[in-house]
Every structure is written in C-alpha cells, then in structure tokens.
Amino acid sequence: DVKVTQSSRYLVKRTGEKVFLECVQDMDHENMFWYRQDPGLGLRLIYFSYDVKMKEKGDIPEGYSVSREKKERFSLILESASTNQTSMYLCASSLRSGNEQFFGPGTRLTVL
Amino acid sequence: DAKTTQPPSMDCAEGRAANLPCNHSTISGNEYVYWYRQIHSQGPQYIIHGLKNNETNEMASLIITEDRKSSTLILPHATLRDTAVYYCIVRAYSGAGSYQLTFGKGTKLSVIP
C-alpha cells in the first residue's frame, strides 16, 4: 500500500515564525502536491511538483514556497506565518501524471 | 476546466445502495471523472475513475451517461464507515506534466443505522 506521511498531525505557531511542513511518500511517485482545506472552500492546490527540484504554482501559492530535493520528500514552507494561514494542510502523491492521488493524514496548523 | 455540481448532502440506510449523482455538463472529450471521499479528520481517499465506460472496483461502481454530462457513484451496500464527504472531480490538464484535481464542496453522505 502507498503510504504518505506528514511530519505532524497538529502544529501551533506564532505569527511571523517560519514554518516547515514535511511530506514523505514511500512508493517512488513522481508527482507530489500540497493542498490546504478550509471550511466552505474545499481543497485548494498550493503547489505541486512533477520531478525532483521541479515545482509549479497551484491556485493559491502566495505566502508559501516549496522544496523537493529528493524524490520522496516534498516540503511546504511558510516564510512568515500569518493567522490567515491557519488551516488543514494535506499532502498527496501520484505515480505519474494522470494517476490517482494518494493523500496523507493532514497537518492541522494554527497560527496565533 | 469543466465544473461539477453535487447535492450538498444525502442520507442512506445502512445496507442499502447509496447512489451519489454528479453533473458535469461542460466536460470535454478527454477529461476523466474521478471520485474521492474524505472521512472526518482524514485525508481524501481515491475511490474510482472513468472516461466513457462504466467502471467497477472493490469499493464502488461508476455509471457515466452516454453523453458524459453526468455520472453516478454507487456504493452497493452502504455501511456506517461509508459516512464521508464524496467529491466528484473532472480532471484537468494544467501543463508542466501534471494533472490538477480541483475539489469542490462534495456531497456529505450520512449512512443511517
């Protein structure tokens, strides 16, 4: 079974802090994705990566950056966390373009 | 991108078939229909996908109309563990070698004992 793991289930940070969210997949998938999920807004794509060191902006990249130095790991970075970045963050991976996406359990981030 | 329309909520009696509709009237010829579900406090889970033909796997069946403007996800014998939000998604190509999934608000399915 594909396993996508995220570094934390719950995280509390202060405004202005730099935040790293880590995602690891163990099935040699090419594509990895970061979404955020907010009540009433559904899932929104922040960034995705289709290869090591490659990244593409999703629908809401502002305030975020990403890093993919190794195939199995995709990191989401909040350079200076703000309260409007309080959300559930979901990581996903897929074998290749067009294949189904497998999601991690999510990280609930609260920025105070 | 083709958009989808789903009812916000549905109830289903335990043991009965759950039929979840989705309208995607602007779908283009090369776009697939995907279904995911999200159980409370978990990440979304892939269920099934199809292009033109009906599809079945161990979780569900997907019925796509001949004109492809709508589809129905069928859970043949719903259990309490099937209570979740179900998302119907039309897969769009976003360039750069990857396909983007756009999640709408989905249908909240409640399976009643």
Side-chain angles (χ1 to χ4, degrees):
Chain A
D1 279 353
V2 175
K3 193 165 183 185
V4 180
T5 56
Q6 296 183 228
S7 50
S8 306
R9 287 301 306 272
Y10 300 93
L11 204 55
V12 179
K13 295 290 182 181
R14 296 204 175 275
T15 300
E17 279 192 82
K18 190 168 186 176
V19 182
F20 291 89
L21 301 182
E22 302 286 339
C23 176
V24 178
Q25 49 92 5
D26 66 356
M27 286 300 291
D28 203 33
H29 282 182
E30 291 182 359
N31 299 330
M32 297 188 74
F33 307 81
W34 273 107
Y35 296 86
R36 64 177 282 177
Q37 185 173 28
D38 302 285
L41 297 177
L43 275 79
R44 294 179 292 168
L45 182 66
I46 305 172
Y47 268 97
F48 65 94
S49 168
Y50 54 93
D51 201 354
V52 175
K53 297 191 186 293
M54 305 301 288
K55 60 186 179 184
E56 289 292 330
K57 293 179 180 179
D59 297 323
I60 49 163
E62 296 78 21
Y64 303 94
S65 62
V66 290
S67 173
R68 192 160 180 209
E69 296 297 319
K70 294 184 178 181
K71 192 174 186 178
E72 67 271 19
R73 187 179 298 268
F74 193 35
S75 302
L76 181 69
I77 303 152
L78 287 67
E79 293 290 341
S80 178
S82 62
T83 55
N84 63 12
Q85 292 179 310
T86 291
S87 185
M88 169 70 84
Y89 289 88
L90 290 155
C91 175
S93 72
S94 68
L95 179 60
R96 279 181 290 274
S97 299
N99 290 95
E100 60 267 28
Q101 294 182 20
F102 296 87
F103 284 81
T107 295
R108 186 166 293 283
L109 172 67
T110 301
V111 182
L112 301 176
Chain B
D1 297 348
K3 294 187 177 169
T4 62
T5 304
Q6 297 177 255
S9 64
M10 290 180 63
D11 290 340
C12 178
E14 188 178 16
R16 296 290 189 122
N19 296 281
L20 293 96
C22 180
N23 184 291
H24 33 78
S25 58
T26 60
I27 193 170
S28 61
N30 60 351
E31 288 181 314
Y32 284 74
V33 179
Y34 276 73
W35 283 84
Y36 284 74
R37 73 179 182 183
Q38 188 172 21
I39 296 169
H40 184 62
S41 297
Q42 297 182 22
Q45 176 190 23
Y46 165 79
I47 302 174
I48 199 167
H49 74 280
L51 182 63
K52 292 181 183 178
N53 300 322
N54 299 336
E55 302 287 344
T56 296
N57 63 19
E58 65 278 4
M59 290 182 69
S61 294
L62 174 61
I63 309 297
I64 302 174
T65 57
E66 194 168 341
D67 63 8
R68 302 187 70 238
K69 293 185 177 182
S70 65
S71 60
T72 301
L73 179 75
I74 301 172
L75 308 178
H77 306 286
T79 70
L80 299 179
R81 286 175 293 183
D82 292 322
T83 292
V85 177
Y86 287 77
Y87 296 97
C88 169
I89 300 160
V90 171
R91 191 185 75 195
Y93 181 65
S94 58
S98 186
Y99 286 79
Q100 179 167 325
L101 294 179
T102 301
F103 286 77
K105 297 183 180 179
T107 296
K108 173 80 169 73
L109 175 69
S110 298
V111 180
I112 313 296

